Amino acid sequence: MSQRQVLQVFEQYQRARTQFVQAVAEFAARPQNIDTLQNAGVMTLLRPLLLDVIPNIQQTAALALGRLANYNDALAEAVVKGDILPQLLCSLSEQNRFYKKAAAFVLRAVGKHSPQLAQSVIQCGALEMLVICLEDFDPGVKEAASWALGYIARHNSELSQAVVDAGAIPLLVLCIQEPEIALKRIAASTLSDISKHSPELAQTVVDAGAIAHLAQLILNPDAKLKRQVLSALSQIAKHSVELAELVVEAEIFPVVLTCLKDSDEYVKKNGATLIREIVKHTPELSQLIVNAGGVAAVIDCIGSCRGTVRLPGIMMLGYVAAHSENLSMAVIASKGIPPLCACLIEEQEDHIKAAAAWALGQIGRHTPEHACAVAVANVLPILLSIYMDARSSEDLQIKTKRALKNILQKCTYLPALEQLLHDAPPNIIKHIVGQFSKVLPHDSKARRLFVTTGGLKKVQEIKAEPGSLLQEYINTINNCYPEEIVRYYSPGYSEILLERVENYHPVL
């Protein structure tokens, strides 16, 4: 047998292996093929090909495994149980960039499904290899490694800490300074995933100098990069006053406010989220953002979009208003009540309505002036109808009830209160009648109006427990009027009069 014939057999075998892995990688890209591949024992057949002498076969085998593991956690589990990960990593540092990218993709695909699978990735020594890949010359390798680290870190603080301990953060901060946009995006996303779990993890990101570099990218024209940058700064700022102050000190205002006018919905949402995470901490931070024009910008943003994009802006206004009378007045002066009221009417999702109700409650709870501003905007009947709607979720009912209570306890604007008097259930009536009992003894014009508009008649119809707070309020109101007027508007009085007419014997 000639040498050529011998070599021909090897060439055929090589071609067959190449065709096999390429076909499997293509099949694995389509979900409908996954079960068939799994039943045919694809994992066992791909495993030895990770150590193939031909680099192209190794890379394609890794790509196919990544696609399979990415599909669901059962296949990712099969990759772990098949002892494939150690094989994948055994000579990673000597491999070319294509293999490194494919290997990082497998690690990401396995680690993304659950904390347990991410832990399996760590246990086989993947973090060290991924951190080495962050120093690679090729930006695509850095990107793939950063992506895998982010998918591991996002699960919980323990896994995130493992990524930090492996030395990833300084290299990720270097990655956001690289010229490639895709690499900047993924590095910023990974820093966000690390920062979100605890103040300590966020502090390690801050200590590596990340804030200054992230702040510089807020004005980058790439929308996807802006999303990740704003998200990372939000995740740092949310934990404590100190971290929020460090973010503000990076001179992100008024630059961040331009993001609220961005054409990308997620840039708007993440920009509003960042502002929300800063204002929630202290009145001083809120005041700083009010002074920068932040309240007006957020109000414009709420008015210009729909759905969940509105949510962080709604919450931001609620947090600002909650801090003090002056800050709440700043929201009122910037015309913040009408768009919040519009959210109650326009939005379909209960959690968005609940946030708007909460924010309106925070605005109206300080003084009669604040409550009047909310009441004049016709908010109270809307809150009441949502509260009484059987389709409203339990959380929405709790939030609207609390908002009504907060506003009503300060409201002395009687036309708005009277509107509710005829529709409110007993637990809300108590607060409305309480307000009338405070105002009517000191206002003769209001007392007259209360009679002519039917308010006094309605109060007489309320059935209150003797000795209850509600009964005390009713007694206070009744004491504002002559006894015969109260009797005249009491239920059944007309029958008594008719009976007296019938029993009356005229003097002839």
Side-chain angles (χ1 to χ4, degrees), residues 42 217 223 237 427 432 495:
V42 69
L217 295 171
N427 57 342
I432 300 165
E495 281 83 12

Side-chain angles (χ1 to χ4, degrees), residues 12-25 27 57:
Q12 280 174 337
Y13 180 46
Q14 186 184 318
R15 267 199 305 277
R17 295 199 314 279
T18 306
Q19 283 171 345
F20 173 73
V21 285
Q22 284 174 346
V24 168
F27 292 146
I57 292 173

Side-chain angles (χ1 to χ4, degrees), residues 60-330:
T60 316
L63 176 66
L65 282 165
R67 284 176 178 171
L68 289 162
N70 197 42
Y71 182 68
N72 64 28
D73 53 354
L75 285 160
E77 192 81 53
V79 170
V80 173
K81 286 184 176 158
D83 235 13
I84 287 167
L85 295 181
Q87 212 148 346
L88 188 76
L89 295 166
C90 75
S91 58
L92 187 64
S93 51
E94 297 127 44
Q95 296 282 4
N96 66 22
R97 63 198 170 104
F98 300 109
Y99 183 82
K100 286 176 183 171
K101 279 196 272 191
F105 171 51
V106 178
L107 296 171
R108 177 184 112 207
V110 172
K112 80 169 192 178
H113 293 290
S114 68
Q116 294 73 25
L117 284 163
Q119 189 61 50
S120 303
V121 171
I122 292 173
Q123 279 166 351
C124 70
L127 289 184
E128 293 72 16
M129 299 312 298
L130 288 169
V131 170
I132 290 167
C133 287
L134 284 180
E135 296 184 88
D136 200 271
F137 181 72
D138 183 78
V141 173
K142 287 180 187 170
E143 188 189 326
S146 176
W147 210 337
L149 289 165
Y151 270 64
I152 292 165
R154 68 175 49 175
H155 290 296
N156 58 42
S157 53
E158 289 77 21
L159 293 165
S160 218
Q161 190 62 54
V163 171
V164 171
D165 295 341
I169 288 181
L171 296 169
L172 289 166
V173 173
L174 285 172
C175 286
I176 57 174
Q177 299 167 65
E178 293 280 353
E180 291 79 17
I181 291 289
L183 178 55
K184 284 180 189 284
R185 283 181 200 154
I186 301 301
S189 170
T190 303
L191 288 170
S192 176
D193 284 329
I194 292 168
S195 305
K196 73 180 181 184
H197 298 293
S198 71
E200 294 74 25
L201 285 161
Q203 191 65 55
T204 57
V205 173
V206 171
D207 293 342
I211 291 177
H213 297 295
L214 289 166
Q216 285 169 2
L217 295 171
I218 292 171
L219 282 175
N220 192 288
D222 183 77
K224 286 181 181 171
L225 175 59
K226 276 194 282 196
R227 290 179 194 174
Q228 302 302 345
V229 165
L230 293 165
S231 170
L233 290 169
S234 304
Q235 299 293 5
I236 293 167
K238 76 177 184 184
H239 293 291
S240 69
V241 179
E242 294 73 26
L243 287 166
E245 284 171 349
L246 287 171
V247 171
V248 171
E249 282 162 18
E251 295 177 7
I252 62 167
F253 290 98
V255 177
V256 167
L257 303 183
T258 61
C259 297
L260 301 178
K261 291 187 166 71
D262 202 275
S263 57
D264 185 277
E265 298 280 80
Y266 290 100
V267 171
K268 277 186 187 177
K269 188 179 180 182
N270 291 3
T273 303
L274 171 56
I275 299 167
R276 179 193 74 194
E277 297 300 358
I278 293 167
V279 300
K280 75 178 186 187
H281 291 293
T282 65
E284 292 74 24
L285 282 167
S286 275
Q287 190 63 59
L288 196 113
I289 277 131
V290 169
N291 296 346
V295 167
V298 167
I299 290 166
D300 286 347
C301 179
I302 293 171
S304 69
C305 53
R306 293 285 179 275
T308 52
V309 181
R310 280 175 154 176
L311 192 57
I314 293 168
M315 301 285 286
M316 179 268 185
L317 295 178
Y319 281 129
V320 171
H323 283 305
S324 73
E325 289 178 20
N326 289 344
L327 286 165
S328 181
M329 201 46 84

Side-chain angles (χ1 to χ4, degrees), residues 406-417:
N406 283 344
I407 300 161
L408 288 171
Q409 282 174 340
K410 295 291 179 186
C411 186
T412 55
Y413 181 64
L414 300 189
L417 293 175

